[in-house]
Amino acid sequence: MNIAYKDLMLFLNWTKVAIIYEEDYGLFKQQELMKSISGQRTEMYIRQATPDTYRHVLREIRQKEFYKLIIDTNPRNVNKLFRAILQLQMNDYRYHYMFTTFDIETFDLEDFKYNGVNITAFRLVNVDSYRYTEVMEQMMEFKLTGNDILDGTTSIQTMPSLMFDSVYTLAAALTEFGDSHSILNQNLSCDAEGSWSDGPNLYKFINSVTMNGLTGKVEFEEGKRKNFKMDLLKLKRENIEKVGFWSTKDGINITDTAAFYDTNITNITLVVMTRQEKPYVMVKDDKNLTGNARFEGFCIDLLRSIAHQVGFQYRIELVPDSMYGVYDHEKQSWNGIVKELMERRADLAVASMTINYARESVIDFTKPFMNLGIGILFKVPTSQPTRLFSFMNPLAVEIWLYVLAAYMMVSFTLFVMARFSPYEWNNPNPCEDSDIIENQFSVSNSFWFITGTFLRQGSGLNPKATSTRIVGGIWWFFTLIIISSYTANLAAFLTVERMITPIESASDLADQMDIQYGTLESGSTQTFFRDSKIAIYQKMWRYMESKKPSVFVKTYEEGIKRVMEGNYAFLMESTMLDYAVQRDCNLTQIGGLLDSKGYGIATPKGSHWRDTISLAILELQEKGVIQILYDKWWKNTGDVCNRDDKSKESKANALGVENIGGVFVVLLCGLALAVVVAILEFCWNSKKNSQVDRQSLCSEMAEELRFAMHCHGSKQRPALKRTCHKCVPSSTYVPADVIALPEKHSVNYNYH
Ligand code: CWD
């Protein structure tokens, strides 16, 4: 018999079962059942009970959250058991009672109808058999004569039926036996050990009997019934009905599967726990509204769609402590919606309830209906105050310094190069045959030339030597790039509003102490930081936990208020963050999301609603209903703020070395080239002069070099004499020794 229960439990996928049995009532063998289902991963809680302890035992079972019960008590006490079940309100759709009695139809189940409670039992009597109809008719005839042997019932109970079949079996066996043997009547003493000599033969005849009785086909094997069948009965809405059968040959066979999974009981009213949270659940202003009509929001619309699809009624209740639910390690208990579900004061929780590991271990979640992550809400940074020297902003400080250094270096190089280069020494009066040659690039002229060209003005000076022209050309190129970059960036700086964002990511937050930051209290965001193993988040948690006054807020509106007051960053869920940012242009999101998770509908552990509602969510998602609801509550509410895209463009940054550093490299290369060319010019000229002067190249070069470096000394050269232009006097001074050598050209110099 236990095999039948085991088969049924496997079919119903029972993994947590409580068994209540009564001593001396032996239809059911708990030990055997335990043995037969061992290895099936079924948790069993077995309690012995008497009518006096029914309530106590049932309460324990309720506390331990067993919803599948096998009742193996004496049917005579069943009314007491029913009363205890009703008193403890263990008579709703969550509970499933499997009775071991075969006479469930004789019970008064009036109090269990229409509330969805599951009651099943097997029936041994075969009510469809010819023998049953025949016997019933005979019994009805008795009733007509005023002798109601049915005793008010409409069925024949199992014990009389078994008795009936036993008598018929014995009669059949005796008839068979009598036909083949003469049965000896023998007086037997109760004190003597001797047995009836025909007993074993009669036993054999009984074993060979086959007949159709009230309890179905009667057949034996070694004295035990074989090949029998039992009907499986289940309380449906109003009546006990046959929903399948079990036979020794085929095991369990369910003919009405829907009877076990039918949640489409529209008059079941589920208690739906929620929490006020804009735009998920909001209480309407109208005080005349009652019941579910008081609420509106995304979750309320979603719940309506799901209830319509799955087919249930619901009553919305607000969670008393206004918390979603976190585990308090000190109190070792949960709070908020999670607690309400755990203590079965609610059947569902429809809110912006985040699915996380800690909660999933004590309650169940459906598939997520929305995906999100934790983001940082911050106040939009204020515009940078205008400053007197803002014109410096387009270039980074180091670029200004490099430009200054380049200016000094190029000016000096030009000066030196001009002195060395013979082509920069010219007769100031080319029409006259003068002994004086001049160099236009004195120190001040070199600086003036570089300044003028830097500011795109010119200076009246023109380099003549290739080397100095290279210096000038490369400097023009340099100034072209620097000035155009500066001008372009200055335009950007003047047109774009500059924003100062002191933090750009969670690690920026963690690394500073000026800006406070916090999360919603008793929510999954808080739990995320508390339980995180990532060093940055652990650091942030230590800060948040220890900060006084508290950085945690009771509602996310309070968090937004603190952000608006300034100097506070609110770590919040991206869905809500989007909602806030879309409505207030003074708010912005900083950085990306810290994690990824979803909102789900929560149910008590083991609730069968979870799977049905998950299916409904998937269907609503595929049909786009959830997206439509999102748009309705997030985007089309008319209170969305219009951002011009200024803030996006506000990225005009000072140009640094990484942007225009290349132009300095080009300048240095140009200068190097110019130096090389200057050296070549110098050498070439020295070689030429050495031939004219009939001197060795080395002494010519040394002389030239000395002259260039000291700005004095003499050199004979036809019509080509050098002088330092500084040395050029208003009236030329010619030393006496030079006059004394008329056949030689002389170099004139003058000191101021
Ligand atoms: N919740 C949270 O923990 N942080 C938030 O920023 C918001 Cl808006 C809500 C609650 C969370 N959804 C939960 O289920 O605990």
Side-chain angles (χ1 to χ4, degrees), residues 443-626:
V443 173
S444 63
N445 276 357
S446 300
F447 276 87
W448 179 241
F449 172 79
I450 292 301
T451 311
T453 50
F454 182 65
L455 298 174
R456 338 265 347 225
Q457 296 306 317
S459 61
L461 297 165
N462 270 319
K464 294 205 171 59
T466 312
S467 54
T468 48
R469 280 181 179 175
I470 291 176
V471 173
I474 209 74
W475 177 250
W476 290 336
F477 172 76
F478 174 80
T479 56
L480 178 77
I481 301 297
I482 292 287
I483 297 288
S484 355
S485 307
Y486 174 82
T487 314
N489 213 28
L490 180 67
F493 266 76
L494 294 179
T495 49
V496 164
E497 204 183 353
R498 297 269 301 138
M499 303 293 173
I500 321 157
T501 315
I503 45 162
E504 305 230 312
S505 64
S507 59
D508 284 357
L509 265 186
D511 291 343
Q512 56 81 53
M513 295 300 276
D514 297 336
I515 300 166
Q516 298 189 1
Y517 51 92
T519 69
L520 188 81
E521 198 174 278
S522 293
S524 59
T525 312
Q526 196 184 40
T527 324
F528 167 82
F529 284 98
R530 191 190 64 191
D531 300 342
S532 180
K533 296 274 174 279
I534 299 172
I536 289 176
Y537 303 149
Q538 283 182 338
K539 185 175 174 189
M540 289 172 84
W541 172 248
R542 282 195 297 277
Y543 162 83
M544 291 191 270
E545 199 186 20
S546 58
K547 188 78 185 154
K548 293 273 166 332
S550 174
V551 285
F552 296 116
V553 291
K554 293 238 169 325
T555 61
Y556 90 99
E557 282 92 349
E558 193 188 325
I560 293 172
K561 196 163 152 257
R562 276 183 81 163
V563 170
M564 289 304 294
E565 283 163 10
N567 215 33
Y568 182 80
F570 187 40
L571 295 150
M572 69 184 302
E573 291 177 344
S574 57
T575 42
M576 228 75 110
L577 192 149
D578 289 345
Y579 184 80
V581 167
Q582 280 167 22
R583 266 148 200 83
D584 193 336
C585 288
N586 293 318
L587 295 172
T588 187
Q589 178 180 350
I590 299 286
L593 300 183
L594 312 191
D595 66 346
S596 163
K597 49 201 173 191
Y599 289 152
I601 293 179
T603 64
K605 207 131 195 79
S607 168
H608 68 87
W609 292 106
R610 189 205 22 195
D611 293 343
T612 354
I613 294 176
S614 281
L615 275 178
I617 287 175
L618 290 179
E619 196 177 335
L620 291 175
Q621 249 159 6
E622 278 167 25
K623 285 181 180 166
V625 176
I626 294 187

Side-chain angles (χ1 to χ4, degrees), residues 9 32 58 79 102 122 124 220 291 354 432 547 651 671:
M9 280 168 62
E32 274 180 31
L58 280 170
N79 284 338
F102 295 118
F122 285 110
L124 192 57
F220 297 95
T354 310
E432 295 168 24
K547 188 78 185 154
K651 284 284 165 202
L671 289 184

Side-chain angles (χ1 to χ4, degrees), residues 355-366 605 610:
I355 305 169
N356 65 15
Y357 166 75
R359 288 176 183 168
E360 188 76 70
S361 53
V362 289
I363 56 174
D364 280 345
F365 279 100
T366 60
K605 207 131 195 79
R610 189 205 22 195

Side-chain angles (χ1 to χ4, degrees), residues 258-272:
F260 291 97
Y261 297 106
D262 182 18
T263 53
N264 199 12
I265 306 166
T266 42
N267 51 4
I268 282 184
T269 301
L270 302 184
V271 177
V272 179

Side-chain angles (χ1 to χ4, degrees), residues 330-348:
E330 274 172 26
K331 292 188 197 155
Q332 301 213 329
S333 65
W334 285 86
N335 62 12
I337 296 178
V338 178
K339 184 178 176 197
E340 297 298 306
L341 288 171
M342 284 173 72
E343 294 182 359
R344 310 250 164 199
R345 281 193 287 273
D347 304 301
L348 296 180

